[in-house]
Amino acid sequence: MAQQERIQQEIAFSTPLVSNKVNISFLNKEYTDDDNVYQRKIQDLGSKYGHVRTTRRDGNCFYRAFGYSQLEALMDNPKELQRFKAVAAKSKNDLVALGFPEFTIEDFHSTFMDLIEMVERQISEAELLAAFNEQNTSDYVVVYLRLLTSGYLQKESAFFEHFVEGGRTVKEFCSQEVEPMAKESDHIHIIALAQALNISIRVEYMDRGDCGGVNQHDFPEGSSPGVFLLYRPGHYDILYKL
Amino acid sequence: MLCGATMASMQKRLQKELLALQRDPPPGMKVDEKSIQASLTQWIVDMEGASGTLYEGERFQLLFKFSSRYPFDSPEVVFIGDNIPVHPHVYSNGHICLSILTEDWSPALSVQSVCLSIVSMLSSCKDKKRPPDNALYVRTCDKNPKKTKWWYHDDNC
């Protein structure tokens, strides 16, 4: 346990929560030159995306990557920003109606709304990035996105119970795999969050499978995505279209 | 390293939790106001065994400790005092095996939800006994139960 904590701390201090935007060729350096499977897939990725932002590998990467990327995309889309803001504003009452205690969730909700309002006031990309790299603010957003995910899964539990593994109820799954910090995300979490906020996310899957290129998946299926994420086993980063 | 913003948000949150607990305490529970320091980092909660359960008529005390990373870090919660409930998930040194105190902790949980889980853990008990590994555990464990690598079996007794 102590060793695990130490390793986590080392990771924490060595990488930013959300990095600067770097050229997609940055990914090449993370694999050896003779790692043909990954080098070929990065080449495929490079035909569609020009840049990447990495996120800290702390188990919260999906929520942090999504949160940053979604708010950044809203910077130059005022109409969508207003729609998103209205959905976000209303979401707290939906969670309270589902039984979440208002006095704990309101702090997370208000931090999330503060960030949306910062985007509305046309802050710079650097300011948004700084906010996402301030541990407290950033983690408050992560918690709120986790709660939205949990709330949607519970609201639609009749549907999602078929996808929950280990003989658990949707509620048990949420309290073990969604609401605690550092628990990683899978398809079910992404579907729920995308639907909770009525937005669309494309994930490019890049793993060791020997199938040539990367596999993409849109959540929900058939939607037109505004947020693009790169998945490598156990981790999500942010992608930017060419 | 203690960041000012973190400390401020931790105290703001604990202040709110304290008010909620005073206003709307779980049945049979009462926060001991004398036990609370100005920094709010340590509280004692008095509890009574619920009527109709194996613990009816007994009184217990829970000690809560909060780190500066609360509510991201779970609170450290132990039974203290002369009467430690005899329960398959409570060790004789007061440590409690309850998943929301470590692995399944979420920042949206609260002192109140921990209290409710502990009440429900005690209330569902059908056989008052110590955990099977009690003797070894209390001899070898760290003082802080959060340093224990718990192995959660089930939530029932």
Side-chain angles (χ1 to χ4, degrees), chain A residues 1 4-5 13 100-101 103-108 134-136 139-140 143 147 175-176 179-181 183, chain B residues 1 5-6 9 12-13 16-17 20 69 71-72 103-110 112 146-147 149:
Chain A
M1 195 71 180
Q4 202 182 329
E5 273 169 26
F13 290 116
F100 288 89
F103 81 99
T104 56
I105 66 172
E106 65 189 3
D107 294 348
F108 307 113
E134 202 279 298
Q135 184 93 46
N136 221 38
D139 284 350
Y140 269 57
V143 173
L147 295 175
S175 57
Q176 293 167 359
E179 293 169 23
M181 293 296 275
K183 295 288 174 89
Chain B
M1 193 167 58
T6 309
S9 69
K12 185 174 148 222
R13 162 74 183 249
K16 252 191 340 185
E17 290 213 40
R69 279 281 292 156
F72 293 99
E103 265 191 37
D104 293 347
W105 170 257
S106 143
L109 295 173
S110 60
Q112 213 155 0
K146 290 177 65 180
K147 300 254 163 78
K149 186 79 194 144

Side-chain angles (χ1 to χ4, degrees), chain A residues 67-119:
Chain A
Y68 180 84
S69 187
Q70 172 68 17
L71 290 184
E72 189 183 46
L74 293 175
M75 283 179 150
D76 29 54
N77 193 343
K79 208 175 134 212
E80 174 61 12
L81 174 65
Q82 289 310 316
R83 188 203 66 80
F84 186 80
K85 188 182 168 191
V87 172
K90 188 180 161 292
S91 64
K92 188 186 85 177
N93 292 341
D94 296 344
L95 290 177
V96 172
L98 281 164
F100 288 89
E102 183 161 12
F103 81 99
T104 56
I105 66 172
E106 65 189 3
D107 294 348
F108 307 113
H109 179 250
S110 75
T111 300
F112 187 50
M113 294 310 294
D114 286 349
L115 280 183
I116 296 172
E117 280 157 21
M118 276 166 68
V119 172

